Amino acid sequence: LAGATHLRNHVWSDELVFWKDVTSKSPGKWRAHNNLGTVYYKRGEFGKAAQSFKDSIRIKQNFADSHYNLSNAYRNLGMLDMAIAECELALTFNPQKMNARNNLGLMYYEKGWNEEAIEMFKSVLEAEPENYMTRNNLGLAYASAGLIDQAIAEFEHSLAIKPGFADANDNLRSMRSRS
């Protein structure tokens, strides 16, 4: 009995060991695969994370969090088109997932799709008007679209919400030097 307790304590002492143990003993548990993927993601093992999120999706196709997490893993692997597709799927299953909307806006921005990025950021701000990070992101998309006055206004708004926010401060300084 003491040996079994020692073994179980080892499993419980490490997140990765724990979730690998759970998924090996209960391979049909979608949440366990998602949690294992999250552990891999936190460790920077994005390929393994992506596989775990795909395993979760294989079991439960409409779980928005796994699609969102897979999107983040793909983005970190440099697979932007696949990341966009997964993020869009996450929003199909949970349209109110604001972090997915914000990340999708960022990916649209990275692709140079400023109009789509602006609309996505605005949709986040309709639900979360005090989201200073999304206001900063909207400012970046406006700047990329050549809408300098709107960009400045968003950076200022971001700083009004969170004074000292370095990104918005740097972006505002950059925009003012351009105008």
Side-chain angles (χ1 to χ4, degrees), residues 40-178:
Y40 281 131
Y41 186 89
K42 288 178 188 174
R43 292 175 178 225
E45 296 181 55
F46 304 118
K48 289 180 180 179
Q51 185 56 56
S52 292
F53 297 136
K54 286 192 273 187
D55 290 342
S56 177
I57 291 166
R58 181 180 40 76
I59 298 163
K60 186 170 181 177
Q61 291 86 13
N62 66 346
F63 185 51
D65 287 356
S66 289
H67 288 284
Y68 172 71
N69 293 338
L70 180 55
S71 171
N72 288 332
Y74 280 155
R75 187 172 179 207
N76 279 284
L77 290 166
M79 303 164 73
L80 195 56
D81 290 334
M82 291 176 73
I84 288 170
E86 286 300 325
C87 203
E88 289 172 342
L89 271 173
L91 288 169
T92 298
F93 298 122
N94 183 356
Q96 301 310 311
K97 192 165 184 59
M98 292 304 134
N99 53 352
R101 286 180 175 275
N102 186 63
N103 283 5
L104 187 55
L106 284 170
M107 290 185 282
Y108 288 161
Y109 168 74
E110 289 172 23
K111 294 282 282 184
W113 302 343
N114 296 318
E115 222 174 279
E116 293 86 347
I118 289 167
E119 290 309 310
M120 194 57 60
F121 294 137
K122 283 181 175 181
S123 75
V124 173
L125 293 171
E126 285 175 20
E128 300 175 353
E130 299 302 301
N131 187 324
Y132 67 93
M133 292 176 73
T134 300
R135 291 216 172 266
N136 182 67
N137 295 340
L138 178 57
L140 290 171
Y142 278 144
S144 183
L147 303 169
I148 305 304
D149 291 340
Q150 290 95 323
I152 288 171
E154 289 304 327
F155 297 138
E156 288 173 341
H157 198 157
S158 178
L159 287 166
I161 297 165
K162 178 133 176 124
F165 179 43
D167 290 348
N169 204 19
D170 293 345
N171 293 331
L172 180 59
R173 194 173 18 255
S174 174
M175 284 302 101
R176 286 187 171 149
S177 71
R178 291 169 65 181

